[in-house]
């Protein structure tokens, strides 16, 4: 059986695991290392290589290929990553660095692209020809499937929906950019609520206060969901999507968050086909980035 090493590189952690051809993470092969913007470049590079090495060693030998999903931007032509949230890792030749662990193919894609690929293979987008997988967390990102094919774009960076520009609605005391991520991510939503006078500090606290009836917390969560829905409507109007699978910690901030996203997407639509979009919960959530990274080489 062919098995692939999957690597997921993000702003707070790097994870690695071996995934089999059925899209299952092989038990005992999943390892995690800390990243973060304060780590030195040498530390970040060493952590990525060490975490990948732990996974391969636990598997007991080489793997048939390696799939890498990373926060972007990435460079598919030269195998580099330059994550915005890890500025010290700019232009890191990650493909070259991990090639030592296999004699097979090494493929690099945006982390959101990997999430969409995983959802289409094993998750909430199965049976859907046109869809997206997105994450609403400390940041917002996603990936696109059209005609049952992964859309990576000219440079591999298709799916950066968090950096979509949205229209201004009201003055923003936080100074956040008017992007989807700057308005709707967990980090941005907490900052907005605090600027309105809320005294909490985490998304979990925001959700608890909304459940308890806090007007600011309720408005903050609604503001996030409405912005996500508006963005998804715009993307659907352009690409004619059927379904969007939503994961990420902040998407669970309240039980009705996805319902609010769906309502916003539907209300924003100007065409009947765009109103047909269905917003659904991710079928894989935390496993998605690794399963999707492995799919880059297991399902080329």
């Amino acid at each position: 059986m062919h098995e692939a090493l999957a690597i997921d590189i993000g702003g707070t952690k790097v994870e690695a695991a071996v995934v089999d051809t059925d899209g299952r993470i092989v038990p005992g092969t999943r390892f995690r290392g800390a990243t973060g913007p304060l780590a030195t470049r040498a530390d970040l590079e060493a952590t990525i290589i060490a975490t990948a090495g732990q996974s391969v060693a636990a598997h007991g030998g080489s793997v048939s290929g390696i799939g890498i999903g990373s926060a972007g931007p990435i460079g598919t032509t030269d195998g580099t990553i330059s994550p915005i949230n890890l500025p010290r890792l700019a232009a890191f030749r990650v493909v070259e660095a991990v090639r030592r662990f296999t004699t097979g193919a090494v493929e690099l894609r945006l982390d959101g692209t990997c999430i969409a690929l995983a959802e289409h293979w094993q998750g909430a987008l199965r049976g859907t020809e046109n869809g997206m997988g997105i994450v609403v967390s400390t940041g917002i990102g996603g990936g696109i499937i059209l005609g049952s094919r992964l859309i990576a774009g000219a440079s591999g960076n298709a799916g950066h929906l968090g950096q979509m520009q949205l229209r201004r609605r009201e003055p923003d005391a936080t100074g956040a950019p008017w992007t989807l991520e700057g308005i709707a991510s967990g980090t941005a939503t907490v900052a907005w609520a605090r600027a309105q006078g809320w005294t909490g500090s985490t998304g979990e606290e925001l959700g608890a206060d909304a459940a308890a009836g806090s007007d600011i917390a309720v408005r903050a969560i609604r503001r996030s969901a409405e912005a996500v829905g508006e963005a998804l409507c715009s993307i659907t109007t352009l690409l004619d999507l059927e379904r969007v699978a939503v994961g990420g910690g902040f998407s669970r901030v309240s039980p009705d968050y996805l319902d609010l996203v769906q309502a916003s997407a539907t209300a924003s639509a100007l065409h009947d086909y765009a109103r047909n979009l269905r917003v659904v919960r991710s079928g894989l959530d935390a496993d998605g980035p690794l399963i999707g990274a492995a799919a880059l080489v297991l399902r080329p």
Side-chain angles (χ1 to χ4, degrees):
M1 177 182 290
H2 295 292
E3 293 173 322
L5 173 65
I7 304 171
D8 175 45
I9 302 169
T12 60
K13 63 178 174 60
V14 54
E15 276 197 302
V18 175
V19 177
D20 66 24
T21 52
D22 293 323
R24 296 175 299 197
I25 295 174
V26 177
T29 67
R30 189 169 188 167
F31 293 87
R32 174 184 292 190
T35 56
L38 298 181
T40 67
R41 183 183 181 95
D43 287 342
L44 290 168
E45 292 182 6
T47 298
I48 291 169
I49 295 168
T51 305
Q54 285 179 293
S55 186
V56 172
H59 181 244
S62 64
V63 288
S64 60
I66 299 174
I68 308 165
S70 176
I74 64 170
T76 52
T77 56
D78 58 5
T80 61
I81 59 174
S82 300
I84 293 174
N85 48 8
L86 294 174
R88 294 178 180 174
L89 203 57
F92 173 47
R93 294 185 174 275
V94 65
V95 169
E96 181 180 309
V98 302
R99 195 177 292 280
R100 70 189 72 181
F101 299 117
T102 186
T103 57
V106 181
E107 296 290 339
L108 168 66
R109 291 292 186 274
L110 202 63
D111 51 1
T113 300
C114 293
I115 289 167
L117 189 57
E119 292 290 345
H120 189 251
W121 181 20
Q122 296 289 344
L125 297 180
R126 280 197 295 183
T128 300
E129 291 190 9
N130 305 286
M132 286 191 72
I134 77 167
V135 170
V136 183
S137 188
T138 53
I140 296 178
I144 304 164
I145 301 289
L146 290 181
S148 295
R149 298 187 65 181
L150 186 67
I151 303 299
S155 66
N157 286 290
H160 264 120
L161 74 156
Q163 283 65 57
M164 289 178 58
Q165 300 287 321
L166 298 184
R167 62 186 173 90
R168 297 191 176 214
R169 297 184 174 185
E170 77 280 342
D172 189 349
T174 69
W178 282 92
T179 61
L180 179 60
E181 188 170 278
I183 295 170
S185 69
T187 304
T189 303
V190 166
W192 184 87
R194 288 179 60 83
Q196 308 306 305
W198 181 65
T199 57
S201 59
T202 68
E204 290 81 5
E205 290 175 301
L206 192 71
D209 283 356
S214 164
D215 178 64
I216 293 175
V218 169
R219 286 192 290 119
I221 291 170
R222 184 174 292 275
R223 179 178 183 266
S224 168
E226 288 179 351
V228 172
E230 181 180 317
L232 293 182
C233 175
S234 294
I235 296 168
T236 296
T237 302
L238 178 66
L239 300 179
D240 197 4
L241 304 180
E242 304 161 66
R243 196 182 305 166
V244 174
V246 183
F250 196 72
S251 72
R252 300 181 183 276
V253 68
S254 66
D256 64 346
Y257 187 85
L258 290 195
D259 293 333
L260 294 171
V261 172
Q262 177 73 74
S264 174
T266 303
S268 301
L270 300 179
H271 300 290
D272 287 342
Y273 74 86
R275 293 188 190 96
N276 291 330
L277 175 71
R278 291 296 169 258
V279 177
V280 300
R281 174 70 60 194
S282 163
L284 301 170
D285 221 355
D287 291 344
L290 290 170
I291 293 172
L296 294 172
V297 292
L298 293 177
R299 293 169 59 86

